Structures are given as C-alpha cells and as structure tokens.
Amino acid sequence: MLANILAGVQSVFMPLNLLFMFLGLFVGIIFGALPGFSATMGVAVCLPITYGMNPATALILLSGVYCGGVYGGSIPAILLGIPGTPASAPTAFEGRPLTKRGEAGKALGICTTASSIGGFASAVALLMASPLLAAVALRVGPPETMMIAIFGLSVVCMLSPDKFFKGLLVAAFALLLATIGQDPLYGYARFTFGKLNLLSGVSVVPILIGIFALPEVFEMLETPDGKLVECATVGRLLPKFSDFAHNIGNLIRSCLIGIGIGIIPAAGPDIAAFLSYNQAKKSSKHPEEYGTGSVEGIIASETANNAVTGGSLIPLLSLGIPGSAPAALFLSALYLHGMQPGAGLFTTNAATTYTMMVGFAVINILLFFTGILFCKFAGRIVIIPKSILSTAIVVLAVVGSYSITKNMFDVYQMFIAGFVGYLLQKNDFPVSPVALALLLGSLLEKSISQTTVMYPDNFLAIFTRPITIVFTLFIVIAFGWPVFQKIRKGSKEKNTSERI
Amino acid sequence: MMKKVLTGLLSVGLAFSLVACGSSTGGASSPTDDKKETTESDTSEESQSESASISDWKPSGAVTIICPYGAGGGQDVAARLFAQYATEIAGVSFVVDNQTGGSGTIGNTAIASAKPDGQTLGMFHNLSYYDEFTTEGVAYNADSFTQLCAFTADASIIVVNKSLGVTDLKGLMELAKNQNITWGGPEFSSQTYPRISMEALTGESFGHMVFDGGATSLAAVAGGNCNVTSVFPSEYATMETNENIVPIAVTGEERMEAYPDIPTMIESGYDTTFSQIRSICIPANADAAVVAYYDNICKQVLDNAEFQKSLQEGGFAPINYVGEAAAAYMQETYDANIEGIIEAVEAVTK
C-alpha cells in the first residue's frame, strides 16, 4: 500500500493535476455558494468534460468540485443566513449572528479552516482505512439505519430548546409530509392524488431552498432600502490558533461523525452536520451561546459535513455503493473511464485510485487557501443593496429548484415552502426541524419497513445487534438530556434560593 | 479580345464534354450491360435518395438524452457511453439529462411528451413498458415511444448469503418452504423480476425488502441483512471476492461468459428467463427523416468496436438491434413478460 501511496503522491503533483484541483475547487465553491445550486450539480456539469481526460485527472477534477461544493454552501449561510446547501443549515444558525455583529471574516475563516480539517481527515480515512471501514459499512443494516434516523430526529429537541413544543409540532408535520409518495415496501402511491410529480414524495431540496432562502428575502423586503451590513470589509479572515486549540475534542468528534455518516449509504453531509452540531452543543460549556454566534457550532457543522466527502467515497470505491448524491456521479465517472468499483480498483487500477485518494487529501489542503481567497471577494456580497440582493436570491432559488429534476413542479414547491417558512418565522416557530424531519422521514420509514420484513415475528430481536444497542443508548441519552438538564437546573435554582 | 477568350474556353469545354459522352456511350453494349447499368443507376439513385433523406435533417443543436434514472446507475452509465460515441460520430453534442423521480415515470413522461422533433431522445428499458400496469397515473404506454436501437441485454445473477447454506436455486426454494427468506431489490425492477417469476412458478413467497438499487441490495446480502438478491454482473463484480455471498443462478437464456460456472435458471429446473434490455428511443410520431438520421447514427455507434468494448468493460452484455429490428425485439420481450407482470401486480394489489 505504501508503494501505491508514494506513486500517488508523485502523480498528484504533476502540474496538470494541480491545475485541475484548483479549477475543480473554484467551480465547486461557486456551485456550493449559489443558493439552490449544489455540489451534485457541479459534479454533474463537470462529468462530461472529463470524458477525454486521463482517469486520474478526471477523478481529481471531480473531487475538487465535490469538496469545493460542500464547503461553498457555508459562505451564503454565514453572510446571508441562507445555506447554499442543506448541509450548511447549522452553520447559518451561528454564522449569521456573527455577520450581523460585523464578524463575518471571523466566521468565514473558522468555517474554511474547519472544512479543510474535516475534509483532510476524511481523505486520510479514505487512504488508510477504506477496506476496514467498508467492512463496517456492510454491518450497518436497516435496524441500525432506523436507529440513526431516530437519533437524528432527537436533534429536534436540542435545536430549539426554548421552543420545544413548537419545534416538535413542526417536525411532526414535516414527518407527515415525508409520507407522501410511494410506500417503501410495495410501491403504493399515497397522498399523490394521481400526480406523478408526487410519486417520489415531496422534493426535499427545493423545499429547503424555499424555507431557508425566501423568508430572508421577505425580511429584506420589509425594509428594502440599504444594505445588510454597512461595513465594506469582512475583517480578518485568518482564524486565531486559540479558536481551534479550545476545540480539539470538538474537531475529533465532528471528524468521526462526518466519516461515520459518510460511510452509511443513506445518510449524507446534511445529517452529519446536524448531528455533529447537536453533539457539540450538548458537550459545550457554553450551550447558551448557541444561536448567537458560537464558534464551536460552526466548527462542528463544517468539520462534519466536509468529513462526509471522503467517507462517502469509501463504500463507493470498495463496494460500489455511493455514500452521497455527488458520490453517485463518481460511480458514473469510474464506469465511463473503464474502471469498476471493488477490489480491482486497489489492485488493477491502483495507480489511478491512489492518485485520486492522495489528490483528495491535497485538495482539502488547497481548499483552505482557495476558500480564504474566495471569501475575500464573496464577503462583499453583504454590501450589495438589499433590493438587488433579494432579486438575485429569488432568481437563484428558482433556477436552483428547477435544475435539480428540470421540473416546474419543484419550483412551485419551493415557493409554497418559502411562504410557509415566512409565516412560521413570523409566528415564532423554528423552521430547522422541517429540514431534519424531511431529510430523515423517508429514511426512517424505509428502514422500519425493511426491519419489519427482516424480523416479522419478533421485532425486539433487533436488540441482539450490537450497533443497534449502541445507537439505542444514544437515543435514550438524546431524548433524556433536555429533561435531565431541566431537573439539574431546577435543583441548582432551588439550592441557590435555599442559600439566599 | 475578351469575347474571343470566352468563346475559346467554351469550345474547349464543349470538346471535352463530347469526348466524355463518347467514351461513356460508345462501343457495343449488350442488353445485360444495359440492365446492369440500369440497376447500378437505380441503386445509386436509391442510395442518393437515402442519403438525401438522412442529410435532409440534422439536429439544430445539442441533442438531449433524457435518462429517467439517477447518476451512477446502469441506465445512466449506458446513456453516457452512448452519448459519448454519438457525439464523436454525429459531430453534434449528445447531452444526458437525468430527470429522475417516480421510479422512472417522471423521466419517461418527459420523453413521451417531448416534441418528436429529433432534439430529444430517451434512455429506455423494457420494464418501462409495464409502467402503465404497475404505477397509478402513468399516461404513456408502449406506443408512446419509437425504439431507435437496443444495445444491451443484461441478465442478472441471483446471489444468496452464505449462512443460508444453499448452493443452488433448488436448495433455496426448498428452504423457502420452511423459513422466512428475504429477497431484496427495488420494487418492479429487473432486480426483483426473478423473485416475481420464482414466486409465480413455485407458489412460495419471499419477504420483500426494498432497496434503492442492486449495489445496496448486494451489500445487504453480504452484510447478512438480507438473504437473497439478484444483481447485474457489474454490481456482482464489485463484491465477487466477498466470502459471505454465493451466486446460485443467472437469469439469462445462456450462462455468462464472465461466470461460466453459474447455471441458468432453466438449467436449475425453473423455466424462466429475464434480461433488462436497454435502448435509445424517440417520442412517437417523429418524422421519417429524423428517424432515418438516428438509425444511421445508432448503426455507426453500435458497430463501433470501441463502444462495444466500453460496454463490456462497464459490465453490460452488448446486443445490436437498430431501427425496426430494435422495435421488433423490444415488442418480443414485452409480449414474453406481460402476463407475469400483470399477475405480479395483481398479487401485490390484493
């Protein structure tokens, strides 16, 4: 393996490969940064360009677009409060308040560094432990996926502790929405009213574009004059060492969550970001800072969502199962270049595979420099007059929603979601549970259906599976935590009042 | 002076033309020769008119191939390979457009309802013919598409988890009599059709586990989360070295060249076969000149040795049917499977 890695290192630093890394990162960041566009679209657009390329260079270009795309989504999340991709939604919770305080540069710098670290860690896992982690991925079956989905839903409790019941209500409604479409077991159409457009369920990404982007636009329209921030510069972009020195545990945990979620086929960067953000909040000494511009929150979210990139390629390269939507396009790229996922990639095509995997690590280092450079210019977006900015966001949201499946029905869903999101915000309902419930709803339903088929006579037999037991414990802690905190807070207050 | 030069040139030209006429018509000519000449002239006229009809029409810009399935799947890879070679041959861009959703019905509806102006083609497979029976609200049927070429016929490999302790299809069916056996794959897909046939043939039933695709089903079998699945050879190849999976039968009419030791379902004692046929189609009622143009392009793509090699490398089993032959072949497979599909749909809806 070492010889292959060394050969990969030699090949990666060829000028052409380096050029395509930068090009891929640049294209990816733009796709990620435009609300409504995504890493998946970036990879899809670049795929035909790679037909005539050397396979290693082609995969390097696509890797650059993938990493850049996942990172790029955080830029509008921080500057405008609109996540460029759903995976950056938790980043928006903390990044936007920092921008409002005139600390956009700090938020962007921390986000870029965290993304680079997360991506690099996943690249190392991809390079060193692919076969081992692929074996773990095989052990994750429907009962474990079901538990991961339930565990993910527990995040709702933590996302809005002050609006606990409102959050649960919104999540329950979104879970009901997620049942629209074909039944996962027999393919019955449910609540589709004969409309083929609803057969695969509601379109999650357009709805999330609408629910996150349009309320911001409506808010801008309430006071259409002026700019978001009057300051012309974003401030210092390079983060302080102390920001990360205090977050070593947070970084390691977020990397592990990202890589772990990445190797599970059904879950992607969005779920990883929410889970990691939630865990960081639980472990924080200052959970009260969350929602007001917490550096820890940005680090957790961005490290995890970028750590998914390398993680999602592990089952892809070893088993042919894409761990995320952009990874599925890598599968096409492999076949189009005459390569087949599986053991052969690490033997017959070792030169190409190791060049790509080493390239993945280098790309994530370059991501830091490209990202900082990009943020220097992108930061100026906040000084664009609101009237122009809001128009541009609506245009991008429409184009982005339409381009996913080239279907106007998705655009209508985006607008409906936008209006509903605005009404929810105006009435003090949290909207982030919608994202979680929509992302996890179908995953949960499908895994429950599969599990019932696996254990038709005794559903409780799922607790004979070790990974299921571990996740069950996590769930118990997750749901019990707010209650525990409430009791602890109550007893502290009681003690204080007794002392007084 | 000018007039003189012109007259001179014309005279020389006339002289040359007379010489030419003399040489072509001069000399004794037998009736047979006349006939031959006539035939040659007819053939040349025919080919001229054929090429005229082909050259009469050309795409006005990039041609879109709508693929109703997502990136990375067999349909997507096949469409992209076709697009790659068609672009080289036609000198016009062929762009794959993944319009996913509704188990392929959204994309198929987009193909069926596109203008038949030759700017939009579709990546199709024979199971989509049955959508009108399996999916509520589908507004297209077999007549909504004109098949331009069929280029792969992919049989599947039935794979079981090693812990079942079976090594052949008969053993699996014996076990199914006494035990809950789960069979995974996307519903009403080429991965589940072998299960549907086996249930129809033997009266046994399996637990249906629905997965997003063949690779995911195979991973579930390898991980012990599902007992049986059937996958394409390209999917099987990614995990063929895994010790927990055992291939027991192939669904095609003949054994696979890459896996000659795996018997067919017929050889295993069950009279059934199934292959997924992948084709390129155009919305029905396209102009004859448009169809002729694409027949020509398809013929060149399918005859291209590099294309055939790429298909094989991608794990596909190439076939070569163009134009009416493709339509007839697709119709044949439609007729062969329609009864089984309707029975399976009825069984599910009951």
Side-chain angles (χ1 to χ4, degrees):
Chain A
M1 185 167 84
L2 192 65
N4 285 328
I5 293 175
L6 288 174
V9 171
Q10 263 185 333
S11 165
V12 154
F13 290 103
M14 283 163 60
L16 189 70
N17 286 341
L18 284 172
L19 174 74
F20 278 109
M21 280 182 203
F22 273 114
L23 193 69
L25 276 170
F26 186 72
V27 172
I29 293 173
I30 290 176
F31 268 88
L34 295 174
F37 287 65
S38 64
T40 315
M41 283 183 212
V43 178
V45 166
C46 289
L47 186 59
I49 302 169
T50 68
Y51 287 163
M53 286 181 185
N54 161 307
T57 309
L59 291 172
I60 279 175
L61 172 70
L62 298 180
S63 303
V65 179
Y66 183 17
C67 296
V70 173
Y71 157 73
S74 59
I75 297 171
I78 289 169
L79 295 172
L80 307 171
I82 301 168
T85 60
S88 299
T91 308
F93 304 155
E94 307 305 330
R96 181 82 174 119
L98 280 171
T99 301
K100 279 184 176 166
R101 292 210 303 255
E103 293 181 79
K106 181 184 174 182
L108 289 170
I110 285 169
C111 154
T112 308
T113 314
S115 300
S116 182
I117 292 171
F120 184 77
S122 74
V124 173
L126 174 69
L127 196 57
M128 309 302 287
S130 273
L132 180 74
L133 291 172
V136 174
L138 278 182
R139 306 305 304 173
V140 177
E144 287 77 23
T145 311
M146 177 179 75
M147 290 300 172
I148 290 167
I150 296 172
F151 182 48
L153 282 174
S154 72
V155 176
V156 172
C157 304
M158 291 294 288
L159 276 180
S160 44
D162 49 331
K163 303 169 195 165
F164 185 73
F165 289 105
K166 282 184 172 178
L168 283 185
L169 188 67
V170 171
F173 181 70
L175 277 176
L176 284 177
L177 273 185
T179 62
I180 293 176
Q182 280 179 310
D183 139 71
L185 212 53
Y186 293 108
Y188 291 122
R190 301 173 308 191
F191 314 120
T192 60
F193 309 103
K195 297 250 177 244
L196 285 181
N197 284 317
L198 285 173
L199 211 55
S200 342
V202 291
S203 308
V204 176
V205 176
I207 286 183
L208 296 188
I209 293 171
I211 214 156
F212 285 118
L214 290 193
E216 292 292 333
V217 170
F218 295 141
E219 206 174 296
M220 287 183 207
L221 293 180
E222 284 173 8
T223 49
D225 297 328
K227 301 160 188 169
L228 282 178
V229 174
E230 289 304 325
C231 177
T233 58
V234 291
R236 180 192 158 95
L237 279 164
L238 289 176
K240 290 179 193 155
F241 180 72
S242 59
D243 287 331
F244 285 90
H246 295 140
N247 275 288
I248 300 291
N250 185 9
L251 275 171
I252 295 172
R253 184 183 51 240
S254 306
C255 285
L256 292 177
I257 290 175
I259 295 166
I261 291 292
I263 64 171
I264 298 169
D270 25 37
I271 293 171
F274 274 105
L275 279 180
S276 175
Y277 175 80
N278 188 45
Q279 291 308 308
K281 191 174 178 182
K282 273 184 196 166
S283 318
S284 174
K285 287 176 185 164
H286 305 287
E288 73 284 354
E289 285 180 7
Y290 279 71
T292 62
S294 164
V295 168
E296 286 175 8
I298 296 179
I299 290 177
S301 161
E302 285 304 310
T303 307
N305 67 25
N306 282 276
V308 168
T309 53
S312 66
L313 293 184
I314 291 171
L316 176 87
L317 299 182
S318 308
L319 310 170
I321 307 168
S324 66
L329 286 153
F330 275 74
L331 196 59
S332 294
L334 288 176
Y335 283 126
L336 289 170
H337 285 281
M339 294 185 289
Q340 192 130 41
L345 271 189
F346 299 89
T347 50
T348 322
N349 300 111
T352 303
T353 309
Y354 279 91
T355 303
M356 187 267 239
M357 293 199 293
V358 173
F360 213 85
V362 178
I363 283 167
N364 278 290
I365 297 170
L366 296 179
L367 172 73
F368 174 78
F369 302 102
T370 320
I372 292 287
L373 191 70
F374 196 88
C375 289
K376 243 185 163 49
F377 297 102
R380 301 181 74 82
I381 206 169
V382 289
I383 57 164
I384 295 174
K386 280 185 193 173
S387 49
I388 296 174
L389 192 59
S390 55
T391 312
I393 291 169
V394 173
V395 170
L396 288 171
V398 170
V399 175
S401 303
Y402 177 75
S403 54
I404 297 166
T405 57
K406 323 283 186 319
N407 192 339
M408 275 308 285
F409 192 72
D410 286 350
V411 179
Y412 306 145
Q413 290 186 76
M414 185 272 294
F415 274 115
I416 293 169
F419 284 113
V420 172
Y422 181 64
L423 289 176
L424 286 174
Q425 275 192 6
K426 281 283 150 197
N427 290 289
D428 206 27
F429 278 87
V431 293
S432 45
V434 176
L436 260 178
L438 283 182
L439 289 167
L440 293 168
S442 57
L443 184 68
L444 177 65
E445 194 192 359
K446 189 179 280 180
S447 54
I448 290 176
S449 306
Q450 289 168 333
T451 308
T452 51
V453 176
M454 278 176 82
Y455 299 100
D457 304 320
N458 181 14
F459 193 78
L460 293 177
I462 60 168
F463 295 109
T464 56
R465 302 166 68 104
I467 306 177
T468 309
I469 295 172
V470 172
F471 275 109
T472 310
L473 287 175
F474 283 162
I475 293 165
V476 171
I477 296 168
F479 280 104
W481 187 257
V483 182
F484 171 71
Q485 265 191 326
K486 213 172 180 178
I487 294 168
R488 200 174 62 164
K489 205 177 163 186
S491 73
K492 262 187 185 174
E493 278 169 6
K494 203 178 164 187
N495 286 342
T496 319
S497 62
E498 274 172 8
R499 273 180 210 155
I500 291 166
Chain B
M1 178 70 184
M2 194 64 179
K3 271 185 186 173
K4 278 183 183 175
V5 174
L6 268 175
T7 315
L9 283 173
L10 283 171
S11 314
V12 174
L14 184 66
F16 269 112
S17 65
L18 282 173
V19 170
C21 286
S23 67
S24 71
T25 54
S29 61
S30 69
T32 323
D33 282 344
D34 280 343
K35 195 179 172 186
K36 192 177 163 191
E37 262 175 30
T38 316
T39 315
E40 269 175 4
S41 137
D42 283 355
T43 315
S44 133
E45 267 174 33
E46 228 176 270
S47 73
Q48 267 175 4
S49 104
E50 192 182 311
S51 56
S53 71
I54 290 166
S55 60
D56 272 352
W57 186 88
K58 271 184 181 168
S60 58
V63 177
T64 302
I65 301 179
I66 296 176
C67 176
Y69 299 90
Q75 287 292 96
D76 176 68
V77 174
R80 286 178 194 275
L81 277 174
F82 181 88
Q84 189 181 343
Y85 285 87
T87 301
E88 278 171 26
I89 288 165
V92 180
S93 285
F94 283 68
V95 183
V96 176
D97 179 8
N98 300 86
Q99 294 196 21
T100 57
S103 304
T105 54
I106 302 277
N108 283 329
T109 304
I111 300 167
S113 55
K115 272 188 191 170
D117 59 0
Q119 293 303 130
T120 307
L121 306 181
M123 183 68 214
F124 198 78
H125 66 65
N126 52 336
L127 272 177
S128 297
Y129 274 151
Y130 309 118
D131 286 350
E132 60 172 319
F133 306 109
T134 60
T135 313
E136 187 190 350
V138 164
Y140 57 84
N141 58 25
D143 298 331
S144 309
F145 312 94
T146 301
Q147 299 298 333
L148 296 172
C149 64
F151 60 101
T152 81
D154 302 313
S156 306
I157 302 175
I158 301 175
V159 182
V160 298
N161 184 277
K162 196 180 178 183
S163 66
L164 285 185
V166 297
T167 51
D168 56 22
L169 202 51
K170 268 222 152 42
L172 176 70
M173 298 317 295
E174 280 301 314
L175 203 64
K177 286 179 183 167
N178 314 309
Q179 201 176 317
N180 171 46
I181 304 282
T182 51
W183 192 313
E187 196 63 7
F188 289 118
S189 69
S190 54
Q191 277 97 349
T192 44
Y193 191 76
R195 187 205 76 212
I196 292 170
S197 331
M198 291 308 294
E199 286 178 339
L201 275 174
T202 64
E204 301 301 335
S205 64
F206 293 91
H208 304 187
M209 282 186 82
V210 180
F211 290 98
D212 292 333
T216 325
S217 322
L218 186 60
V221 172
N225 297 304
C226 178
N227 299 132
V228 192
T229 188
S230 55
V231 290
F232 291 124
S234 57
E235 292 160 337
Y236 175 70
T238 62
M239 272 198 249
E240 64 174 300
T241 54
N242 189 300
E243 290 173 351
N244 294 321
I245 57 172
V246 181
I248 56 169
V250 295
T251 64
E253 288 172 12
E254 290 168 14
R255 292 191 181 206
M256 289 178 182
E257 219 175 287
Y259 303 105
D261 297 334
I262 312 175
T264 63
M265 292 172 91
I266 295 174
E267 286 171 341
S268 304
Y270 301 95
D271 190 18
T272 181
T273 62
F274 184 76
S275 295
Q276 177 159 322
I277 295 147
R278 304 180 200 275
S279 66
I280 295 288
C281 69
I282 192 168
N285 303 321
D287 195 73
V290 174
V291 174
Y293 171 84
Y294 282 115
D295 281 352
N296 180 37
I297 297 296
C298 287
K299 189 174 179 337
Q300 289 185 60
V301 172
L302 267 58
D303 288 347
N304 186 304
E306 283 292 312
F307 175 68
Q308 296 291 326
K309 195 178 155 212
S310 301
L311 284 177
Q312 280 169 341
E313 281 174 355
F316 298 105
I319 52 172
N320 193 333
Y321 293 94
V322 175
E324 284 174 9
Y329 183 61
M330 297 290 278
Q331 184 65 43
E332 197 183 308
T333 65
Y334 173 82
D335 295 340
N337 295 307
I338 184 65
E339 280 180 25
I341 289 282
I342 289 175
E343 269 176 34
V345 172
E346 282 172 356
V348 166
T349 46
K350 270 177 195 169

